[in-house]
Amino acid sequence: MTQPPEQHRPPSAQPWYDHAQAPAPVVENPYTLGARRQQPPPPPRGGFLRSRLAAAIGGFVAALLVVGAGAGVYALNSGTDTPDNAVAKPTPGTGSSASPGASAGTGKRPDVNAGRKPGEAAAWAAWSQTDLPRGNHLLHDLWFVGDLVVQAAYKEVVAYKVADGSEVWSVPLPAKVCDTPVNPTPDGKVVVAYANANGDSGVKCNQLQMIDLKSGKTGWHRVLPDSPGSTIITHLAISGDTLLAGAGMSASAFQVTDGRQLFTTGKDNPGACYPHDVAGGAKLLQIDWCALSSDHPYGQIKELDPRTGKVKWRYRPQGDWKVGKVLSVEPLVVTETLSKNVLTWRAVALNANGTRRSVPDIAKYKFDHCGGAGDAGEGAQNCPGAAADATGLALSQGNKLAVFDLANGKLRWAVKADGRFAVAPLRVAGPSVIAYVAATPSKPGLTVEFGPKGGNPKKLLNHATPAQKVEYDMMASKMAYRDKRLIIAPSLLDGDDKVDKARMLSFAPGPS
C-alpha cells in the first residue's frame, strides 16, 4: 500500500522518554594524567549534530511537535506566513553576507541574504581566509568583547564584527592552537595555548600567548613549565584576571595582565589526587583524579582562590565516581562517571560551598553524555547540549530537549522536535528556555523560546532561507545567543580545497 506523504502522517502524542531505560552511555577522555588506563577511544568530533546523518535516512515532517509535561501536542511551522515568492531587499551593511570572488574549488560562495523572505532573520557568514592543510582542524571557543566576536582556529586568532561578520583583525601564531579558555577576562584579554614548533622532546602544548581581544595586539608569551606526566594535552581556564593552565600532573596559575606566575598546584595529599582539568568564569575550579593506581580510583572537584591557589572547598563524589565535565559554573552543575565503567554517568548540582544540592533525574530519559558529542580531549567546559540558570538545567540529545528543576532534580517538561535533526538549549532564563532548532536538508533552522511548561514555543528568529544549505552543512557545535542575535560555528574546518564551509554564521532580526 502506498504510504501517505510524510508531512501528512498523524503526529504521535506519546512521550519520547522511557521510564524503564537504563542510564545512557558516555564516552570519557581516554587520556588520564599520571597513569594511562585502557579506555575506549573517543568518537569523531562533530558537535551536538554528529548523529544527525543517521536520521537523514528517514523522511522529514513539516511541523515541530512539542510534547510538554501534560501540555499536549503542538505544531510549529518553520516558515513564515508570507507567500513563497515574496522577496525582501538584502539587508545593507552585511559585509560578509556574500563573499567576493570564488572559493577554492567550489565556485562562488553563496549570498546568505539574497532572496530572504519578509519575516526571516538577516544573516551573515564568515569564511576562513587561511589556506589550511588537508585534514580537520578544530575551531575553538567563541569570545565576545565590545562589538566583536573572536575565535581561534589552526594557527591564528580572528576577530569579526558582530553586526556584519566582516573581519577586523587577525593574529598569526607560530604553531597550531591546542587549547583556549571558555571565557576571556572582564576587560577582554585572553590567553591561548599553542604547540611548540620544533620541540626536541616531541610536540607539547606548552606555549602561552596573551592577546587583547579589543585591539588584536599580543602581550606576554611564556613557556608552560614542564611537570610530571605529559604536556601533550593542556587545558586553560580564566577567572577574573587569573589564568589556570593544567598539564601533566600539575596546574600553573598566571596573572593575565602581565604573565606573572601566581601559584602551582600538584598532588593533593588527601587521597593522592592530581589535577586533571580546569574550569573558569565566576569560580576558578580544578578537577582532580585520585588514587589512579588503586582498585578504587575516584575523583573530586575543588574551588581555588584565584590569587593564592588556596582551596576553598572540595567535593568528592561518593563511591567510585569521578567528576567529568562542568556543565555550568554559576550555578555549579557537573557530570560524574563511574571510574570503572565510563558508560554510566549522571549530573549533579552543587551549592556555592561545594555541598550536593540535587541529582537531576536524567537516567530515565536516554541522554548521552554531552549530547552524544563524546570527548576527544577538549576541556571540562566544552560539553554541548546543556544550559543552566539558578533554578533549572536543560539537556538535549538529538531532537529531544528536557528541563530539570535544580532544587529537587525532577523533570519539569520535555519536548521533541519531530522531523528535525537536533534541538539544543542556548539559555535558561527562569521558567523559559531559548533553544536552537537545527536546519534540515530542506528547511532552515529556528531560534525559539519555550515557556514555563514547554508548550508551544515562541519563534524568535526564522533563519534566512538563502542560508539554509550553509547552515545545514555547518553541523553547528559552538553556539551563542546575545542581544537577540544567534551566532553558530562548526566543530571543525576541513582543509580539503574542494570543501568550502563557513566557519561562522549569524542570524538577527532584520527589516521586513
Side-chain angles (χ1 to χ4, degrees):
M1 182 176 67
T2 303
Q3 294 292 328
E6 184 70 28
Q7 63 268 27
H8 294 154
R9 290 181 184 174
S12 170
Q14 296 299 316
W16 51 263
Y17 46 85
D18 178 2
H19 290 271
Q21 178 69 20
V26 56
V27 179
E28 253 293 359
N29 187 348
Y31 302 101
T32 58
L33 302 183
R36 290 283 177 107
R37 307 180 67 85
Q38 294 300 317
Q39 303 268 7
R45 272 195 205 96
F48 86 107
L49 297 182
R50 183 174 56 85
S51 62
R52 76 180 191 181
L53 295 180
I57 299 173
F60 304 103
V61 181
L64 176 67
L65 299 183
V66 181
V67 184
V73 179
Y74 300 87
L76 175 64
N77 294 324
S78 62
T80 64
D81 295 328
T82 56
D84 289 343
N85 59 357
V87 178
K89 294 180 180 179
T91 303
T94 52
S96 293
S97 62
S99 238
S103 61
T106 60
K108 190 176 181 180
R109 290 166 175 165
D111 186 330
V112 294
N113 263 322
R116 182 170 59 86
K117 301 174 185 178
E120 290 187 339
W124 58 254
W127 307 81
S128 178
Q129 305 300 321
T130 303
D131 186 14
L132 300 172
R134 293 182 69 88
N136 289 322
H137 304 280
L138 183 65
L139 280 166
H140 293 273
D141 300 287
L142 294 172
W143 301 310
F144 293 85
V145 56
D147 61 349
L148 302 178
V149 55
V150 189
Q151 189 180 42
Y154 190 49
K155 297 181 180 180
E156 65 178 351
V157 180
V158 184
Y160 302 93
K161 282 188 179 179
V162 171
D164 60 19
S166 57
E167 186 174 316
V168 177
W169 55 257
S170 172
V171 174
L173 296 168
K176 183 180 290 189
V177 175
C178 43
D179 199 68
T180 61
V182 168
N183 56 279
T185 63
D187 63 347
K189 294 181 177 64
V190 78
V191 178
V192 303
Y194 64 90
N196 57 331
N198 297 298
D200 295 331
S201 56
V203 176
K204 297 180 180 180
C205 180
N206 65 354
Q207 307 290 309
L208 302 180
Q209 177 63 62
M210 191 271 274
I211 300 173
D212 187 325
L213 299 181
K214 295 179 181 178
S215 63
K217 293 181 179 179
T218 57
W220 55 267
H221 168 265
R222 291 190 67 126
V223 179
L224 195 63
D226 285 335
S227 67
S230 170
T231 52
I232 295 175
I233 295 177
T234 296
H235 293 308
L236 306 180
I238 287 177
S239 182
D241 191 38
T242 297
L243 168 79
L244 187 61
M249 299 174 71
S250 68
S252 300
F254 304 90
Q255 188 164 287
V256 176
T257 304
D258 56 14
R260 178 171 61 92
Q261 185 162 354
L262 300 173
F263 59 86
T264 298
T265 66
K267 181 180 179 181
D268 195 348
N269 286 321
C273 300
Y274 292 92
H276 167 69
D277 214 327
V278 295
K283 295 178 173 65
L284 187 63
L285 303 170
Q286 181 175 297
I287 297 172
D288 293 342
W289 283 5
C290 311
L292 293 175
S293 60
S294 73
D295 292 334
H296 298 283
Y298 63 94
Q300 66 179 13
I301 186 170
K302 55 195 180 186
E303 182 182 359
L304 306 178
D305 184 298
R307 306 307 298 172
T308 66
K310 182 180 179 180
V311 178
K312 294 185 176 182
W313 52 257
R314 294 178 180 85
Y315 165 74
R316 173 185 168 179
Q318 297 176 353
D320 295 345
W321 292 83
K322 62 177 182 285
V323 176
K325 294 285 189 176
V326 177
L327 301 182
S328 170
V329 173
E330 191 69 35
L332 185 52
V333 185
V334 302
T335 70
E336 297 176 2
T337 63
L338 275 177
S339 295
K340 293 186 177 181
N341 181 10
V342 296
L343 299 181
T344 301
W345 78 284
R346 65 190 180 194
V348 176
L350 302 178
N351 293 307
N353 62 357
T355 57
R356 181 178 286 187
R357 179 182 177 189
S358 68
V359 180
D361 189 20
I362 65 175
K364 304 172 183 177
Y365 305 106
K366 302 182 182 179
F367 283 111
D368 291 344
H369 198 235
C370 298
D375 184 353
E378 289 189 84
Q381 291 175 270
N382 297 116
C383 188
D389 76 346
T391 66
L393 170 68
L395 294 174
S396 67
Q397 170 75 32
N399 64 348
K400 299 174 292 187
L401 172 69
V403 182
F404 301 87
D405 194 307
L406 288 180
N408 54 31
K410 294 182 179 180
L411 177 75
R412 286 181 181 172
W413 51 263
V415 301
K416 181 179 181 180
D418 202 0
R420 292 284 181 167
F421 286 125
V423 57
L426 298 167
R427 181 185 303 168
V428 180
S432 300
V433 175
I434 297 175
Y436 170 63
V437 182
T440 74
S442 59
K443 292 183 180 297
L446 295 164
T447 304
V448 300
E449 182 177 8
F450 293 98
K453 296 181 179 180
N456 192 18
K458 173 185 177 183
K459 288 185 286 184
L460 301 179
L461 294 172
N462 286 300
H463 298 180
T465 300
Q468 176 270 327
K469 186 178 186 305
V470 174
E471 182 182 4
Y472 173 74
D473 288 344
M474 179 174 282
M475 298 182 69
S477 173
K478 316 289 184 185
M479 307 175 200
Y481 183 76
R482 300 167 60 95
D483 301 324
K484 299 182 180 181
R485 176 182 293 276
L486 174 71
I487 294 181
I488 58 177
S491 296
L492 303 167
L493 277 180
D494 195 327
D496 188 342
D497 288 342
K498 296 180 180 179
V499 177
D500 192 33
K501 294 181 180 179
R503 64 172 291 174
M504 207 175 288
L505 184 62
S506 176
F507 300 97
S512 43

